[in-house]
Amino acid sequence: MKGLTSYLVLFLVIILGGCHRVQDREAGIALSFDDRFIAEWYALRPLFLEYDARVTFYINGDTLGAEELTMLKQLRDDGHEIGFHGTIHGNAALLIENHGAEGYWNTEIRPGLEFFRRNGFHPTSYAFPGGRSTATADSVLRANGFITLRDVAKAERYFKGIRLYHIPPSWMPHIYWDFRPRTTFHALQIDRETELSVTELQKALRKAKDKGKVLLLFGHQPLPPNPAPDQYGFNIELLSAILKEAQALGLRYYTMSELK
């Protein structure tokens, strides 16, 4: 009888513990932004603070001015993550093909990573420029302290300037994280070239809420209303709509390293 009681207690502990872990898996959103638009991102601080949003900034290069470093440190103090986006913003596949793993490390990763570490930043999340990852690049990055790697997903496909098709984000399972262990993630690009609508993104956010998952989105330069035709980035109005919907749904904000 005593043995049976012990087994029942152990069974209840396992069940209740499992339920607790499921409840801790809060549906959410993981936003990230790429390149070196530091001043433009810093100007979004009031918007992030208004919605209590935390995001990941992926910075490329091995030189930043004192003012840029100060802004990044303030963003980090606000709760955002500072990730790494390479030194020369190179194509990982081509660099490894032409220079091998060691050449890739010494050209694309080491110089910029050492610069950031000297200046008090220790990035643990990496975003591949252009989303061009390889198994070798993944291994190099994991061996040097990166716990999450971010790739790129797009809702549309073009051929010679002609759009072949457009997939609603809510139909793209690979842009959601379901809390199963992984190190590589795909985020959906929201820059204006993708022509994503507010309605589509609202549906994608509602799916994250309903299914208990995390939606991954990313962009580049924040753009004001009526930007120049050649400006590359996302509309601030679109970001505002995303943050507003996320708040209405009670979604949690995740930085990219938190997905590990």
Side-chain angles (χ1 to χ4, degrees), residues 185-249:
F185 302 85
H186 287 78
L188 178 67
Q189 186 174 359
I190 62 170
D191 294 317
R192 62 181 186 147
E193 67 173 33
T194 65
E195 299 181 5
L196 287 166
S197 69
V198 170
T199 300
E200 284 181 307
L201 291 168
Q202 287 173 333
K203 288 181 179 178
L205 290 163
R206 285 196 289 272
K207 178 179 177 179
K209 177 67 174 181
D210 294 341
K211 300 295 184 180
K213 298 183 179 183
V214 178
L215 174 65
L216 283 76
L217 305 174
F218 89 100
H220 291 85
Q221 181 180 10
L223 301 177
N226 303 313
D230 60 344
Q231 281 188 282
Y232 179 65
F234 63 91
N235 292 317
I236 296 175
E237 292 179 347
L238 179 66
L239 176 62
S240 298
I242 291 170
L243 299 180
K244 182 177 181 180
E245 183 69 14
Q247 183 185 68
L249 293 170

Side-chain angles (χ1 to χ4, degrees), residues 70-104:
T70 298
M71 287 189 284
L72 284 182
K73 288 174 181 177
Q74 179 61 65
L75 289 170
R76 182 183 61 187
D77 291 346
D78 288 345
H80 304 293
E81 178 180 8
I82 308 303
F84 188 46
H85 195 40
T87 303
I88 64 171
H89 202 266
N91 182 316
L94 290 178
L95 285 168
I96 290 171
E97 179 182 350
N98 294 321
H99 306 287
E102 185 176 356
Y104 170 69

Side-chain angles (χ1 to χ4, degrees), residues 142 146-151 153 172-187 213-216 256-260:
R142 291 190 187 108
F146 289 97
I147 62 175
T148 60
L149 309 175
R150 203 215 67 203
D151 217 320
M172 301 172 68
H174 54 296
I175 65 172
Y176 293 89
W177 179 46
D178 58 4
F179 296 92
R180 284 183 286 187
R182 45 193 289 209
T183 57
T184 301
F185 302 85
H186 287 78
K213 298 183 179 183
V214 178
L215 174 65
L216 283 76
M256 290 301 298
S257 287
E258 288 176 336
L259 302 188
K260 180 68 167 61

Side-chain angles (χ1 to χ4, degrees), residues 3-246:
L4 178 60
T5 302
S6 298
Y7 279 119
L8 287 172
V9 170
L10 178 60
F11 177 75
L12 288 172
V13 168
I14 293 172
I15 293 297
L16 292 174
C19 291
H20 177 69
R21 284 193 295 273
V22 170
Q23 291 170 355
D24 284 347
R25 296 175 177 180
E26 296 180 57
I29 177 173
L31 280 166
S32 53
F33 303 100
D34 295 3
D35 295 346
R36 293 170 61 107
F37 303 106
I38 298 170
E40 290 89 339
W41 296 331
Y42 191 80
L44 296 178
R45 277 190 74 216
L47 186 63
F48 293 135
L49 291 170
E50 177 183 355
Y51 290 100
D52 198 24
R54 296 182 305 116
V55 308
T56 300
F57 299 105
Y58 287 110
I59 318 296
N60 61 280
D62 59 354
T63 57
L64 288 174
E67 186 175 359
E68 291 176 310
L69 289 168
T70 298
M71 287 189 284
L72 284 182
K73 288 174 181 177
Q74 179 61 65
L75 289 170
R76 182 183 61 187
D77 291 346
D78 288 345
H80 304 293
E81 178 180 8
I82 308 303
F84 188 46
H85 195 40
T87 303
I88 64 171
H89 202 266
N91 182 316
L94 290 178
L95 285 168
I96 290 171
E97 179 182 350
N98 294 321
H99 306 287
E102 185 176 356
Y104 170 69
W105 164 256
N106 287 324
T107 301
E108 178 68 301
I109 307 302
R110 182 183 56 77
L113 187 57
E114 289 180 351
F115 170 79
F116 278 95
R117 287 173 175 171
R118 285 197 306 271
N119 285 280
F121 297 95
H122 299 275
T124 56
S125 185
Y126 185 82
F128 286 97
R132 298 177 179 90
S133 63
T134 72
T136 300
D138 289 1
S139 296
V140 169
L141 291 161
R142 291 190 187 108
N144 286 279
F146 289 97
I147 62 175
T148 60
L149 309 175
R150 203 215 67 203
D151 217 320
V152 171
K154 294 188 177 183
E156 72 294 319
R157 288 293 182 270
Y158 286 87
F159 179 72
K160 294 184 177 180
I162 300 174
R163 189 169 77 171
L164 299 178
Y165 59 85
H166 179 89
I167 305 173
S170 57
W171 294 5
M172 301 172 68
H174 54 296
I175 65 172
Y176 293 89
W177 179 46
D178 58 4
F179 296 92
R180 284 183 286 187
R182 45 193 289 209
T183 57
T184 301
F185 302 85
H186 287 78
L188 178 67
Q189 186 174 359
I190 62 170
D191 294 317
R192 62 181 186 147
E193 67 173 33
T194 65
E195 299 181 5
L196 287 166
S197 69
V198 170
T199 300
E200 284 181 307
L201 291 168
Q202 287 173 333
K203 288 181 179 178
L205 290 163
R206 285 196 289 272
K207 178 179 177 179
K209 177 67 174 181
D210 294 341
K211 300 295 184 180
K213 298 183 179 183
V214 178
L215 174 65
L216 283 76
L217 305 174
F218 89 100
H220 291 85
Q221 181 180 10
L223 301 177
N226 303 313
D230 60 344
Q231 281 188 282
Y232 179 65
F234 63 91
N235 292 317
I236 296 175
E237 292 179 347
L238 179 66
L239 176 62
S240 298
I242 291 170
L243 299 180
K244 182 177 181 180
E245 183 69 14

